[in-house]
């Protein structure tokens, strides 16, 4: 895509533009302000740098984007509903993963100015060395440390400045180098599935005791917003060691296991609900970190072979 500028005060026009420029999305106004949308895009090879100014509270429900999407909030806040780990909120000065490439996403943008950086996941595959040639995934939505977040934010700002320079943006060497630079920074600052050789400490820490401590922490924080970095910190290991331990002993990832625990908790509460106590599928799903009822129902049916409403009725 080429550079673009978009402005509109019309909700339907804004929805049509977002669907064409990003992915199919449904939006609505969830606040008192009138619709006002401003979007500017700079392009550097296959990387898009978009600056967005949403002058209203825009609720959105979107199909998978197909691209890695990093966000940096300048003002307001973004309340994102993560399909695998529940809701989280980005506030000014924070940077992270807005949505994985292959999952639908939803949330509310609260009168916010923010930037998003989108790129093909294949860039990560090219730079990383991953066992068996498997695709590299960013499997946490926050940088691994505060310092890592600051580093990622500086690199994104630098690359956006390069994209705004026509001479630099049209240089094939600059474009290739910038793509590798971005991928290397993401791999170094975010939790990913890249199979960089674990160090001796990580291999030592990836034992069954680590898994048991992590599961105990998950079970006591099921209704809270926790990321893989929180689990690793509570377990006294690195995120890399934590992921290695879960793959080695349970053949899964920490976040997949967390979703399994949350589904089990919701299943138990659905079965224990009594007629007339006011509980609904939506309220129970939200209690355990599932903010999108439709996606909760899909995950529940896949695990238990029937819709959650049927369990609630019984």
């Amino acid at each position: 895509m080429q550079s673009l500028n978009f402005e509109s005060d019309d909700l339907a026009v804004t929805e049509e533009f977002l669907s064409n420029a990003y992915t199919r999305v449904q939006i609505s106004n969830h606040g008192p302000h009138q619709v006002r949308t401003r979007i500017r895009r700079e392009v550097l090879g296959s990387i898009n740098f978009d600056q967005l100014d949403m002058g209203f509270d825009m609720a959105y429900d979107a199909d998978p984007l197909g691209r890695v999407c990093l966000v940096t909030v300048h003002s307001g806040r973004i309340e994102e509903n993560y399909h695998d780990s529940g809701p989280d909120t980005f506030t000014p000065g924070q940077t992270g993963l807005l949505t994985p490439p292959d999952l639908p996403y939803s949330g509310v943008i609260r009168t916010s100015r923010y930037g998003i950086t989108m790129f093909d996941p294949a860039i990560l595959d090219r730079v990383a060395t991953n066992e068996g040639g498997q695709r590299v995934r960013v499997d946490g939505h926050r940088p691994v440390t505060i310092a890592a977040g600051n580093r990622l934010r500086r690199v994104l700002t630098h690359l956006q400045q390069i994209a705004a320079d026509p001479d630099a943006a049209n240089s094939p060497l600059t474009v290739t180098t910038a793509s590798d630079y971005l991928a290397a920074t993401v791999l170094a600052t975010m939790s990913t599935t890249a199979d960089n050789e674990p160090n001796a400490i990580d291999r030592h820490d990836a034992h069954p005791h680590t898994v048991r401590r992590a599961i105990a922490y998950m079970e006591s924080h099921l209704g809270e917003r926790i990321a893989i970095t929180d689990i690793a910190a509570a377990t006294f290991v690195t995120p890399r060691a934590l992921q290695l331990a879960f793959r080695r002993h349970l053949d899964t990832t920490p976040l997949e296991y967390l979703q399994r625990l949350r589904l089990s908790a919701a299943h138990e509460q659905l079965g224990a609900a009594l007629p007339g106590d006011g509980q609904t599928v939506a309220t129970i799903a939200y209690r355990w970190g599932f903010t999108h009822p439709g996606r909760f129902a899909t995950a529940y049916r896949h695990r238990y072979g029937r819709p959650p409403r049927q369990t609630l009725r019984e």
Side-chain angles (χ1 to χ4, degrees):
M1 288 187 176
Q2 300 300 314
S3 299
L4 58 82
N5 287 280
F6 172 79
E7 296 187 11
S8 179
D9 299 328
D10 184 275
L11 187 68
V13 172
T14 298
E15 181 178 89
E16 181 180 9
F17 172 82
L18 295 175
S19 293
N20 291 330
Y22 300 98
T23 187
R24 189 186 67 83
V25 62
Q26 293 179 321
I27 65 172
S28 58
N29 188 348
H30 271 215
H33 305 294
Q34 292 186 339
V35 173
R36 178 176 61 81
T37 305
R38 307 288 185 269
I39 301 174
R40 186 182 77 254
R41 168 175 292 170
E42 303 290 348
V43 179
L44 185 60
S46 62
I47 309 170
N48 291 347
F49 300 92
D50 292 7
Q51 294 299 315
L52 301 95
D53 183 355
M54 297 296 182
F56 67 110
D57 290 355
M58 189 188 82
Y60 56 93
D61 189 351
D63 286 351
L65 188 60
R67 313 192 79 195
V68 177
C69 183
L70 302 173
V71 63
T72 299
V73 175
H74 306 305
S75 68
R77 69 182 189 273
I78 297 178
E79 302 167 358
E80 175 71 8
N81 299 325
Y82 289 93
H83 181 74
D84 55 358
S85 58
D88 198 1
T89 300
F90 289 97
T91 56
Q94 295 183 335
T95 297
L97 182 73
L98 182 64
T99 173
D102 56 346
L103 295 178
Y105 60 108
S106 62
V108 181
I109 296 168
R110 301 286 185 184
T111 314
S112 178
R113 288 189 305 104
Y114 60 102
I116 58 174
T117 301
M118 299 182 297
F119 60 92
D120 190 332
I123 296 176
L124 298 177
D125 300 337
R126 188 179 70 242
V127 172
T129 301
N130 206 33
E131 184 177 344
Q134 296 178 354
R135 168 151 286 187
V136 175
R137 291 177 52 88
V138 180
D139 59 1
H141 55 271
R142 295 278 185 170
V144 293
T145 64
I146 294 176
N150 293 335
R151 176 185 171 188
L152 178 59
R153 192 159 45 254
R154 288 194 300 268
V155 169
L156 295 178
T157 300
H158 181 208
L159 292 177
Q160 185 180 354
Q161 293 169 347
I162 295 174
D165 181 344
D167 292 334
N170 291 323
S171 166
L173 180 60
T174 300
V175 168
T176 301
T177 303
S179 296
D180 290 350
Y181 181 33
L182 174 59
T185 303
V186 171
L187 291 168
T189 59
M190 300 289 292
S191 176
T192 74
T193 59
D195 248 336
N196 299 320
E197 186 67 22
N199 60 36
I201 295 177
D202 287 338
R203 288 193 294 270
H204 176 269
D205 287 343
H207 48 65
H209 295 300
T210 294
V211 174
R212 286 195 288 270
R213 288 197 300 267
I215 292 175
Y217 176 80
M218 293 179 192
E219 289 175 338
S220 62
H221 295 78
L222 281 184
E224 302 175 21
R225 298 175 179 177
I226 57 175
I228 191 170
T229 49
D230 300 314
I231 303 170
T235 314
F236 306 108
V237 298
T238 66
R240 181 65 194 163
L242 183 67
Q243 293 195 49
L244 183 60
F246 270 75
R247 284 204 308 272
R248 178 181 292 174
H249 302 292
L250 297 180
D251 194 26
T252 187
T253 69
L255 293 183
E256 287 172 348
Y257 194 90
L258 176 62
Q259 185 185 53
R260 194 183 309 167
L261 289 175
R262 285 173 166 164
L263 279 171
S264 178
H267 175 68
E268 182 176 344
Q269 189 171 358
L270 285 166
L274 298 174
D277 64 5
Q279 296 196 76
T280 66
V281 171
T283 57
I284 292 174
Y286 190 83
R287 165 68 180 84
W288 299 109
F290 298 95
T291 56
H292 193 288
R295 290 170 196 155
F296 166 72
T298 298
Y300 186 93
R301 185 193 297 268
H302 182 265
R303 180 159 181 80
Y304 293 104
R306 57 180 176 173
R309 193 172 302 277
Q310 180 178 343
T311 303
L312 181 63
R313 286 199 303 265
E314 293 176 353

